[in-house]
Amino acid sequence: MRGSAASDSSVWSRLPPELGVAVRPRIPEIARACVDAIAAEIPEYSARFGAGPGRATAIELARRGIERDVDRVGTPALWQADRLAEFRGHGREAFHNGVSREAVQAAVRVSSRVTWRWIADIAREAGLSGDVLYGAAEGMFADVETSMAAVAEGYSAAEAAVSGTGERHRRLLRALLGGRAPADVDGLLAASGLPVPERLAAVAFRALPGAPEFPPGLLPEHVPADPAGDPPAALTPAPDIDLIDLTGLPPGWTAAVGPLVPPVEAPESFRVARRAVDLAARGLLDAPGPVIWCRDHVTTLLLLADEFLVGQLASTTLAPLSGLTGRRREQLAETLLALVRTRGSAPELGRLLDLHPQTIRARLKKLGELFGARLDDPAERLRLELALLAERVLPDQG
């Protein structure tokens, strides 16, 4: 790069100011020609630069770059570090926008070639000598070399930064979800670059066989995430903000968001989220989309925390209904649930269930025969409510 600095001072600064005077009014035309050539010759830029705001932005960037280069004509030897910084920025931006390193370097070559042709034509129109044309060509070729090197540096730096961040995030995920000691968690949070949060929510992912890869861009870069890892997970201190784009998960993907907890309790949040994903896969949790918010399913998650015990609760507590089948059993179970929840009268339960009070009285009489004094015991009513809710979630327990 030091050799490039020398070429900058020994070539551009020695060119006559007349060249800059002749080229400057034509800079907008040159910029448009550069962008058009890039769009035509490099497929990755065709859609970006073909029309619309992307084209206008590209033309403005090209105009400023050409103007800056023309400013070097006939000026004292000053190495413009800002030019290289700008091309490093182009490299970083290309990486983050999904443009290949080869494409952005090709864009530098195309732009330089087009610019040189315009400068050569303008210089000839202005009657400038062949030595001027030769000097301009030498300066342009040196610029191509240094610009491409700067693009590569910026691209590689962005690549390495993301890779490093990704590895730090994966270590953080493994540490937090593995239940590391609080001191270890604090250290890893600091190393991750995340602000140390008071609370975190864990996210569990599930992808069905044959589902597409996890789409890029659905999670912010600052969110530690490894949707395809073991375990497939993410962590966020602001789930309502950071996870808003997860509604765009493709078919076959499900995500469950665990409760917000202190960082040291992240394994518990993840355990709940994984349980929610498993229950959803079995059709036991209803969610309007691919994202399950555990906070909306606390009762079901609690009931099904131990399916064996809840099954035992349902079968033993509701044993008096075992002699009934079909619609008759469903009707009494429906009325029983309304009764233990509200302790309402026959008219009140009738309004709740949209039934005539006389129908409710007949059902209450039958329930009294089956359950007796248990209907007046608060502890028994709680057991009955839990058993009836469990039966709804696990119909095979009835």
Side-chain angles (χ1 to χ4, degrees):
M1 303 300 283
R2 291 175 181 170
S4 301
S7 67
D8 178 54
S9 62
S10 62
V11 177
W12 289 106
S13 63
R14 294 204 311 266
L15 293 174
E18 291 82 3
L19 177 62
V21 172
V23 171
R24 195 175 301 281
R26 311 290 293 276
I27 288 177
E29 296 176 79
I30 301 173
R32 286 193 293 272
C34 288
V35 172
D36 288 342
I38 291 171
E41 297 183 31
I42 305 172
E44 289 186 54
Y45 284 105
S46 297
R48 297 172 186 269
F49 290 176
R55 171 179 162 78
T57 300
I59 290 173
E60 176 59 19
L61 288 173
R63 186 197 64 76
R64 291 207 305 260
I66 297 168
E67 190 173 73
R68 178 208 54 226
D69 289 342
V70 170
D71 285 344
R72 291 185 292 164
V73 173
T75 61
L78 291 175
W79 176 236
Q80 295 192 356
D82 60 331
R83 187 178 71 84
L84 285 190
E86 182 175 321
F87 278 96
R88 292 189 189 100
H90 291 332
R92 288 192 297 271
E93 184 179 358
F95 173 80
H96 291 300
N97 288 338
V99 178
S100 69
R101 186 195 314 258
E102 293 73 20
V104 69
Q105 289 183 317
V108 172
R109 289 193 297 268
V110 170
S111 181
S112 297
R113 186 190 71 224
V114 171
T115 301
W116 159 242
R117 288 176 179 171
W118 275 78
I119 288 177
D121 289 343
I122 293 168
R124 280 192 288 266
E125 291 172 6
L128 297 175
S129 68
D131 287 342
V132 172
L133 292 177
Y134 177 81
E138 185 180 352
M140 289 292 299
F141 294 148
D143 283 351
V144 169
E145 178 185 348
T146 58
S147 299
M148 289 179 62
V151 163
E153 289 175 9
Y155 199 100
S156 297
E159 202 170 32
V162 170
S163 174
T165 299
E167 181 55 34
R168 289 196 299 272
H169 283 179
R170 283 188 288 274
R171 288 200 301 269
L172 179 62
L173 276 173
R174 289 192 292 267
L176 284 172
L177 302 182
R180 294 275 289 275
D184 292 341
V185 169
D186 291 342
L188 285 164
L189 278 169
S192 73
L194 286 171
V196 178
E198 292 184 3
R199 297 191 300 168
L200 282 169
V203 185
F205 296 93
R206 178 190 289 272
L208 295 176
E213 291 186 1
F214 189 85
L218 288 189
L219 292 171
E221 288 185 5
H222 67 265
V223 171
D226 193 6
D230 183 16
L235 288 167
T236 169
D240 291 293
I241 298 172
D242 291 339
L243 307 180
I244 191 169
D245 289 335
L246 283 186
T247 54
L249 279 170
W253 277 89
T254 304
V257 186
L260 278 165
V261 296
V264 293
E265 295 179 11
E268 291 302 307
S269 179
F270 188 59
R271 179 182 62 79
V272 173
R274 292 187 80 170
R275 181 63 173 157
V277 165
D278 292 340
L279 291 174
R282 295 165 53 195
L284 301 180
L285 278 184
D286 292 325
V291 183
I292 302 162
W293 293 85
C294 292
R295 65 193 180 198
D296 297 333
H297 302 276
V298 173
T299 301
T300 302
L301 290 167
L302 178 62
L303 279 172
L304 300 184
D306 189 317
E307 292 184 46
F308 173 77
L309 284 180
V310 80
Q312 291 294 304
L313 173 69
S315 61
T316 58
T317 304
L318 301 179
L321 296 177
S322 61
L324 304 173
T325 58
R327 181 61 182 155
R328 179 60 173 162
R329 188 187 189 285
E330 291 177 9
Q331 292 170 344
L332 287 177
E334 177 186 54
T335 305
L336 179 59
L337 180 59
L339 176 64
V340 298
R341 279 179 160 178
T342 67
R343 296 291 290 162
S345 64
E348 291 170 336
L349 294 177
R351 287 191 294 271
L352 181 64
L353 298 177
D354 195 21
L355 293 170
H356 194 280
Q358 194 60 34
T359 302
I360 296 295
R361 289 189 182 96
R363 292 186 185 181
L364 292 177
K365 180 180 179 182
K366 181 62 175 178
L367 289 172
E369 295 172 359
L370 293 172
F371 290 94
R374 293 174 62 188
L375 297 179
D376 298 317
D377 184 335
E380 284 296 318
R381 290 200 302 271
L382 176 59
R383 285 171 57 86
L384 286 166
E385 182 177 358
L386 292 174
L388 289 162
L389 290 174
E391 184 177 76
R392 287 187 169 188
V393 177
L394 296 172
D396 58 334
Q397 300 296 331

